[in-house]
Amino acid sequence: MSATQQELIAALPYARRFARALTGSQGEGDGLVGRAIPRMPRDMPPRLGFYAAITQLMRDHPQREAPGLTLVQRQLLLLTALEEVTLADAARVLDMTPEQAAEEVRQARHDLRQVAATDILIIEDEPVIAMDLQMLVQGCGHRVAGVAMTEREAVRLANKRPVGLILADVNLGRGGSGISAVRTIMESTTTPVIFVTAYPELLLTAEGIEPAFIVRKPFDPLSLAIATYQAVHAGRVPIP
């Protein structure tokens, strides 16, 4: 295997995570990545090349914008907040000047606070982290419908009260698995889910059902805000 092929494979989980966050769908995101491979610019490292090809594919197919943010703003926030790309590299990916990108990010952060709120179920076994999550989602203007520390409690709360979003830890310790809890909940609902984990790339195994939205621990308010926005609104936007 050549060095270029190895770099391409190493960049693949990041491309899949980015595409899924943009589209809100495992299948659509991975399909987008597949179509991006032959369009990757050769003057960029593979990871940035993936991002550039994916964003170009999205721009080439006009679509209805999600409420509050433009497509470019969503792409910039995902690149800088969730993918942890520098602003300069994000501007390069989107063929913008750093100054243009900085202004778009500034406006996007402001507009993000104006988006309609939703009810969120938090699944987290660590009390301090659960409290942080509550404060963060409330700071984004959302309402906390409940906090579950175990798999069983999560399923019970989800069945008791419909919510607009589920924010779930992957590992609930002795309380079970956040992934397992979500799978059970998804048998009776199509509520969008954000998984939080210290190792987001490890969730993209190409085996079975994988999450569309992933936030890295430790998280910050902006990362959670853009992930929440995408999870609630991405599925409402037609994807090429």
Side-chain angles (χ1 to χ4, degrees), residues 166-177:
I166 297 173
L167 188 58
D169 190 6
V170 171
N171 186 353
L172 302 177
R174 294 183 178 179
S177 164

Side-chain angles (χ1 to χ4, degrees), residues 4 22 60 79 105 112 116 124 134 149 156 185 190 200 225 237:
T4 301
L22 269 176
D60 286 349
L79 286 169
V105 168
L112 199 59
E124 169 61 60
Q134 289 184 73
M149 301 184 68
R156 181 184 66 80
I185 294 170
T190 57
V237 182

